[in-house]
Amino acid sequence: KDALAMETSLHRQLKARYCVVEADREVWVGDFRVDAVVEGRLIEVQQASLAALRTKIRTLVETHDVLVVKPLAASTRIVRYESAGGPVAWARKSPTKRGWWHLFDDLVHFVRVFPHPRLTLEVVLLDQEEHRIPAPKRRQRSKDYRTQDRLVLEVRDVKTFRTAGDLLALLPIELPSPFSTAELAKLAHIPRWLAQKAAYCLRHTGAITAAGKRGHACLYTWERPRLKPVRKRTPRKAA
């Protein structure tokens, strides 16, 4: 099937957000078709895993500046239809919520590409709507629906990452150095498994370094950003 025929509304919406000229979308660059080209910079919107982009991006950054746009759903409204093209059966809000830290859940498959001097990673935190239609279960544990489409309801915020230092900025300022993933999970209010993935990404990008162990827990060190000293103003004497 043609890739455009399977494109979600969410992908089209983000593509239009970053490239307003329709003629500059879906452009062939060498052997690759990219989502858009704006002022010479290639733009790829990646709703699926970043792992699928590794080879493509590794090749493209050799000759071009590349922007990879990664959407993260902070909230999802699920709309279930009785059938394809049929009426709505029900609609509800999904309990699943994602934040900036969930970038690391995907970045573990991309650390051999990012960071790179010609690569920018932009994460879009948004609210989305997911449309589902019934589908026969092929296995006992398989889903009884198929996702028909996804749409952007609202963009909450955008963060840009170009260097390992940009990733480091996500760490809680009160995090000690050295620290364990248990301490990171507690201070960042995230599950331990996500803290472990974050530590993996930060270590492989050079943002943190291994610092031995405390018992069975691996420790990591990080350099706190240096703050400029605040100059105290001497109050003027009354005339």
Side-chain angles (χ1 to χ4, degrees), residues 8-223:
T8 65
S9 296
L10 184 148
H11 190 272
R12 283 193 296 271
Q13 287 171 289
L14 288 180
K15 195 164 53 175
R17 176 187 175 94
Y18 283 87
C19 179
V20 296
V21 180
E22 190 171 357
D24 292 335
R25 303 174 203 160
E26 299 302 326
V27 179
W28 283 95
V29 178
D31 296 330
F32 301 101
R33 184 168 66 181
V34 299
D35 286 330
V37 179
V38 177
E39 297 181 352
R41 182 166 72 163
L42 313 185
I43 299 175
E44 277 291 304
V45 178
Q46 185 63 3
Q47 187 177 338
S49 172
L50 291 173
L53 278 183
R54 280 181 304 201
T55 301
K56 181 179 184 179
I57 299 302
R58 188 184 289 116
T59 302
L60 291 174
V61 292
E62 293 178 2
T63 52
H64 295 79
D65 292 333
V66 179
L67 170 65
V68 174
V69 179
K70 177 64 183 177
L72 281 179
S75 70
T76 301
R77 181 176 183 266
I78 301 172
V79 179
R80 174 80 175 234
Y81 292 87
E82 292 183 1
S83 61
V88 173
W90 51 261
R92 64 175 174 81
K93 197 168 184 178
S94 170
T96 303
K97 297 179 180 180
R98 308 188 83 196
W100 300 118
W101 285 97
H102 287 87
L103 166 64
F104 294 110
D105 190 22
D106 207 3
L107 196 62
V108 291
H109 308 293
F110 204 60
V111 289
R112 295 189 183 277
V113 182
F114 179 89
H116 187 280
R118 305 195 74 165
L119 175 61
T120 300
L121 178 61
E122 199 149 284
V123 182
V124 182
L125 193 65
L126 50 81
D127 299 322
Q128 71 173 7
E129 186 172 272
E130 182 177 295
H131 294 180
R132 298 177 178 177
I133 58 175
K137 295 183 66 171
R138 297 182 179 180
R139 303 181 189 87
Q140 186 175 359
R141 295 185 179 181
S142 64
K143 300 173 182 178
D144 65 347
Y145 67 87
R146 177 172 62 84
T147 300
Q148 187 180 45
D149 199 9
R150 289 189 176 92
L151 303 89
V152 178
L153 295 179
E154 182 180 356
V155 172
R156 292 193 182 189
D157 201 359
V158 177
K159 284 189 185 296
T160 303
F161 301 89
R162 295 186 178 90
T163 66
D166 293 332
L167 295 174
L168 194 63
L170 291 175
L171 292 180
I173 193 65
E174 65 272 27
L175 186 68
S177 183
F179 69 92
S180 67
T181 54
E183 291 170 318
L184 175 58
K186 181 178 180 180
L187 291 173
H189 307 288
I190 57 176
R192 179 73 179 275
W193 65 264
L194 188 53
Q196 290 170 335
K197 289 191 175 186
Y200 175 89
C201 294
L202 291 168
R203 183 168 62 86
H204 279 268
T205 56
I208 62 175
T209 56
K213 287 189 174 184
R214 183 191 300 139
H216 294 291
C218 293
L219 298 177
Y220 306 93
T221 58
W222 64 295
E223 186 177 347

